Amino acid sequence: MRLLLIAVVASAACFTSAAKAECDWIEKAQSSDFAAVLDSVICLKDPAAAECDRTEAEASDFNGERERRIDALSMSNDSKQALRDGKIWVGANSEMACLAWGRPRSVNRTTTAHGVREQWVYGSGSYLYFDDGSLTAIQN
């Protein structure tokens, strides 16, 4: 059976230490040969997704880690399923964002008297905005 995937392309752009720590497991996948095709992927068995040339075992390893991280979160099963479906919401943290949308292309960080603000930049005009680690806005 061929594996299909939804790709979340990410570059090695600058990361804040907090964002980098939340997405370390994605970075490990990027250093493997699995990343030879894409920097970061979230593989799903979905007939509507683009075709993946990697083996099912490689995709299963990556998905297995993602599933373990989602299952370990203390939240409702509906919220866990939303992350699996690539959905994110205001109030989520950076780990949830990585699990739902993958690693951003870059992170713009602003430190103010009121705290730290981050803009996570994804492709296709999609952005996530965090204030002190909490998602405050979604733009797409």
Side-chain angles (χ1 to χ4, degrees):
M1 173 170 66
R2 299 209 58 147
L3 191 145
L4 303 173
L5 63 92
I6 297 172
V8 179
V9 179
S11 69
C14 68
F15 254 84
T16 65
S17 58
K20 187 170 177 14
E22 297 295 348
C23 297
D24 271 349
W25 68 276
I26 294 174
E27 232 176 305
K28 289 177 186 170
Q30 289 176 321
S31 65
S32 72
D33 69 327
F34 185 60
V37 174
L38 297 172
D39 289 334
S40 176
V41 295
I42 299 171
C43 287
L44 304 169
K45 293 179 181 176
D46 181 351
E51 191 168 323
C52 179
D53 290 334
R54 307 312 293 171
T55 68
E56 189 169 337
E58 289 170 325
S60 179
D61 287 347
F62 189 87
N63 263 350
E65 178 65 17
R66 181 175 180 255
E67 282 300 311
R68 281 187 291 280
R69 289 182 175 275
I70 290 172
D71 287 339
L73 294 172
S74 296
M75 60 176 41
S76 71
N77 287 335
D78 288 342
S79 294
K80 289 178 183 182
Q81 188 57 50
L83 292 176
R84 288 182 184 99
D85 294 340
K87 297 177 184 170
I88 194 69
W89 54 90
V90 170
N93 63 32
S94 55
E95 179 182 15
M96 293 174 194
C98 283
L99 291 168
W101 283 23
R103 184 176 175 199
R105 287 185 179 184
S106 64
V107 174
N108 299 315
R109 184 176 194 208
T110 304
T111 304
T112 69
H114 302 289
V116 177
R117 292 186 171 175
E118 292 180 341
Q119 176 195 49
W120 287 22
V121 180
Y122 290 88
S124 304
S126 295
Y127 303 89
L128 297 178
Y129 297 89
F130 293 87
D131 286 346
D132 294 321
S134 180
L135 184 62
T136 56
I138 301 167
Q139 178 183 343
N140 52 12

